[in-house]
Amino acid sequence: MTLLTVEGLEASYGPVRVLHGIDLTVERGEVVVLLGANGAGKTTTLRALCQLPGLSTSGRVDFDGRSLVGCRTEEVVRRGIAHVPQGRGTFPELSVEENLDAGAYLRRDRREVRQDIERWYDTFPRLADRRHQSAGTLSGGEQQMLAVARACLSRPQLLLLDEPSLGLAPLVIQHLFEIFAELNRSDGTTILVVEQNATLALSIATRAYVIESGQIVLTGPAAELHHDDGVRRAYLGF
Amino acid sequence: MNLLQTLPWAVPGVNDAFFDLSYVLQLVTTGLANGAVYALMALSVVIVYRTTGHMNFAQGEMGTIGCLLVFSISVERGVPYWISIPAAIALSMVVGAVLQRTLVQPVERRGGMGVVLVTLGLFLIINAVDAVIWGADPVTPVTPFPSEAGDRFIILDGPPQFAIRYSTIGIWITLAVVVGLLWLLLQRTRLGLGYRAVAANPESALLVGIPKDRMLMLGWALAAGIGTLAAVLFSQKTGSLDFNLMAAVILYGLAAAALGGFDSIPGAVVGGAVVGLVESLVPAFFSFIGSELSLVMALVVIVAVLLVRPQGIFGKAKVVRV
Amino acid sequence: MTTRTIQHGSTEHRIWQVLLYGGIAAVVLAIALTQPDYRMAQFSAVAAWSVALLGMNLIIGYGGQMALGHSAFFGFGSYLTAILYADYGVSFVGTLPISALAGAAIGFLLGLPALRISGLYLALVTLALALAFPAIAKMDQLSALTGGANGKLAYIQWLPPTWLPFTVTSAAWVFLTLSAFAAVLFLLASNAMRSRVGRAVVALRDNQIGAAVSGVHPATWKTSTFAVSAAYASLAGSLMMLAVPIVTPDSGGFLVAVTLITGMVIGGAGTISGAVIGGVAVVWLPELSKHWAGALPLVSESDGTALSTAVYGAVLILVVFVMPGGVVTFVRRLRARFVVVVPQVPATSPPVAHAAPLSPTPELEMERP
């Protein structure tokens, strides 16, 4: 069943148009990866999906059967999309615990939120050790863990990940991607991930899209893209 | 009795009366009483600045109109002050939120200059409206705290005498209550968490579903409420109320906020105390500095802080981890 | 409808320019010969205000720094001329270079902290300066010079010379003199802003690091812009003494500061000609608003004065919402429908497809401090 349908999505920052008609679909339970070079419009696509202010968008964006176009970002989150922005986007002055609480801002079931937070502390014990420390003092890897945990605390149907591996040590990246695969497998969370590290992303993805200059130029099952030599040379650079 | 007085100090330009314990304690008390009002103004400035990065130059005027409203309801209509003051504060909060939504938010994305101009415009409009409605002549304000000449604790009998007015203690208690409530609101409630998240990272706040626009309105509402309270207390303190009541106080509040680094609540309180003390002690100590120069002293404080330690007393230089 | 394209510096462009300048001169002369004396005082004030607004435009519009307290420099210039003329017997014209230099020196000194204090903080400091100015002028220690709270009087003798081919009243002669001074100052500023100097100042505003690596030394240029802008404001204060013979502590105060800001915003920050429109607004806005307020029921005469302050505030907000670039930018956009002036392109460069009209700041922008 289709969870997200995007058709002819255009987006511009002021007079500068960045996306020229993006078409993509994400099925429920999938892991879809969006690949592309720097400046191709990957991050903008995710931002446009969340209807972040400062970006004027047009086109069709249906999520779970209803349109997201014109919604406020908080409504998008309420409907079940969580976004881990590029550069983690933690709240540096807030403690780790408060960051997680903020992730559950829209939830009213306080007791279950507590349980979820404890569950995430089990997943990332380093966060548990630093729960009263302000997030700004964490290392890059810890911040990414925090950002992922915070996003998941809204119990999203669709998790958007923007370059989760950027600037992290290989071991941390490995760990994070195992967590993503686990989230998808056991919780059934659908994931749309933007990555520069194509090999890594394709290894957990079901399908992939390649974006170039604000348009989708290629799509197919992840395994196929991974092994097609022409595609690899032209778009993925390995 | 007075050891200080016996000291053979005769420094040119220094006021000899300064070496009297009661006199100095009285000055300190006065300074801290004014300082508490400045601290409240500084809190208003800080609450707006933390989430929006703007300074509301009309903050003082918004307080003045609230205070004049209290005057009209209580003195002219005879409604008790314990109804009129909370009512005026509540009304100010609504007006503050509405102004933020209608006049400030639309120009916010165009950069800071637009917001500065809008708040300056609001300053002029409210100031003039006050003058038109309530006239230019000072009136006797509402006094929520006992304010007769005898309403004070005499601590050191004089002359010169050292006494603390009940109203001064009332101002201090009010400040403590406001800071306490603010702390509870910001640290212990969901709303406060949302406000602090917006202050820390507005975009991430949106991405976890916090209604950022409403948090900015909340900031303006809180600031307007505190500003009105500050105006009421200040009018009681000076015993006279007119449309220019807060014109100078906003500057002292800004100086206090600058001392606190513009984003710290304890910083605003300490900053208010420092500005109040400077205002009362410096002219008393140096006989060649007249008290009419207190505006200049506020200016000097602001410039000095911004040049030497822009992050304020408690602030630390921001460390951003990437 | 077709838009007409005129090349900058072409004969056609020159003709239009000469016609424009000639037209302005003719209007000034016509005002001097026909208007009654009380009107003449207002026109004289327009000339003086517009010089101050030009100074603010240089630092705010072109320099991008929120220096909002230029009333302090304005008041300083007025006091300086009044004191030098009345107490020290310096001729009026003699006070002008002193005022300009002293203004520049103070501007330079105040510009030094402005290197570290930017954005909103600078707005705060400069507004505080304007708030504090009256207190400084009223200081006991200075009252022998400044006349304390009463202000300083200086009736400047300024009679029309005999060599004039036509006869004018002395008020008209004051107006003509001020217009001439203003014209010189405008041409200076206009030429500077079109030259390397202007490009350096604007480059610094738009991208400080980019400008610095291109050889524009930020500290030197920022303090210099501040100094020149303060000199203009100070000169404007001096010139005003010719039109209004008294300066009071409030002449440099907060209300004047906000008045100047309103004028600047109405005219258009970062435009040279906007300063004149701003000057007109500063002089006639209070009068018009008093007039409008008087027409309202329930508003008495004295309330009208207070309401004119409110009108300033309302106009300020209105302009920010409706015409963020001020009247001049608005008119330029209108003009661009009919006539486009393209800059002259050296033969070696590729042709310019869309030449943007010469408008350094269409919108008011500032980064968060």
Side-chain angles (χ1 to χ4, degrees), chain A residues 157-176:
Chain A
Q157 297 186 59
L158 173 64
L159 182 62
L160 307 178
L161 299 166
D162 196 348
E163 304 257 11
S165 74
L166 196 72
L168 300 185
L171 269 178
V172 179
I173 298 175
Q174 189 77 39
H175 184 203
L176 277 171

Side-chain angles (χ1 to χ4, degrees), chain B residues 85-298:
Chain B
I85 294 176
I89 289 175
L91 188 64
S92 310
M93 292 179 74
V94 173
V95 170
V98 169
L99 286 178
Q100 203 281 336
R101 185 74 198 80
T102 53
L103 291 183
V104 178
Q105 257 183 41
V107 294
E108 208 156 32
R109 268 177 221 138
R110 255 191 259 135
M113 185 75 176
V115 179
V116 168
L117 296 178
V118 166
T119 63
L120 284 177
L122 277 175
F123 181 105
L124 296 180
I125 294 174
I126 300 174
N127 188 276
V129 166
D130 287 351
V132 168
I133 297 180
W134 283 278
D137 299 322
V139 293
T140 309
V142 172
T143 50
F145 303 121
S147 57
E148 299 298 316
D151 289 335
R152 54 191 185 159
F153 298 111
I154 297 172
I155 294 170
L156 290 177
D157 217 342
Q161 198 179 46
F162 170 49
I164 300 182
R165 295 179 153 278
Y166 296 162
S167 60
T168 301
I169 293 170
I171 292 175
W172 291 338
I173 293 173
T174 311
L175 174 65
V177 169
V178 168
V179 171
L181 287 177
L182 212 51
W183 186 85
L184 280 178
L185 175 72
L186 294 185
Q187 301 292 330
R188 288 281 174 271
T189 69
R190 181 169 169 271
L191 205 59
L193 179 66
Y195 170 91
R196 287 186 298 137
V198 170
N201 188 335
E203 190 164 290
S204 289
L206 279 174
L207 289 176
V208 295
I210 296 168
K212 179 186 146 201
D213 291 354
R214 260 177 270 162
M215 293 300 149
L216 305 187
M217 287 166 73
L218 171 74
W220 268 64
L222 288 174
I226 295 174
T228 293
L229 187 61
V232 169
L233 295 179
F234 191 67
S235 67
Q236 146 125 36
K237 173 124 205 339
T238 57
S240 119
L241 165 62
D242 67 8
F243 68 105
N244 274 333
L245 177 73
M246 302 297 274
V249 177
I250 178 66
L251 190 66
Y252 302 138
L254 285 164
L259 273 167
F262 284 105
D263 59 358
S264 150
I265 286 173
V269 175
V270 175
V274 171
V275 172
L277 287 176
V278 166
E279 189 203 9
S280 81
L281 291 179
V282 171
F285 186 71
F286 299 104
S287 52
F288 58 91
I289 295 182
S291 59
E292 75 276 6
L293 282 185
S294 51
L295 272 172
V296 183
M297 284 186 276

Side-chain angles (χ1 to χ4, degrees), chain B residues 49 53 55 103 106-107 110-113 116-117 121 123-125 128 251 254 262 288 292-293 295-296 299 303 306-307, chain C residues 66 68 116 120-121 124-125 128 135-136 139 141 254 258 261 265 306 309-310 313-314 316 320-321 324 364-366 369:
Chain B
Y49 188 85
M55 289 174 204
L103 291 183
V107 294
R110 255 191 259 135
M113 185 75 176
V116 168
L117 296 178
F123 181 105
L124 296 180
I125 294 174
L251 190 66
L254 285 164
F262 284 105
F288 58 91
E292 75 276 6
L293 282 185
L295 272 172
V296 183
L299 170 67
V303 173
L306 290 180
L307 281 181
Chain C
M66 287 212 276
L68 303 180
R116 289 197 61 177
L120 202 50
Y121 294 158
L124 168 61
V125 169
I136 299 172
M139 265 167 68
Q141 289 89 335
F254 181 72
V258 188
I261 294 165
V265 173
T309 315
L316 194 53
V320 171
F321 271 79
L364 296 159
E365 291 231 28
M366 194 212 77

Side-chain angles (χ1 to χ4, degrees), chain A residues 90-105 110 113-114 117 121 127 130-135 146 150 153, chain B residues 50 183 186-190 192-194 196-197 200 208 210:
Chain A
T90 51
F91 303 116
E93 288 99 56
L94 269 56
S95 71
V96 168
E97 183 118 337
E98 287 171 333
N99 265 275
L100 296 175
D101 274 334
Y105 190 81
R110 299 320 296 172
V113 168
R114 270 308 336 151
I117 289 180
Y121 281 148
L127 293 184
R130 289 161 169 61
R131 63 173 79 191
H132 298 301
Q133 213 168 306
S134 64
L146 179 59
R150 187 185 64 187
L153 274 163
Chain B
R50 272 180 70 177
W183 186 85
L186 294 185
Q187 301 292 330
R188 288 281 174 271
T189 69
R190 181 169 169 271
L193 179 66
R196 287 186 298 137
V208 295
I210 296 168

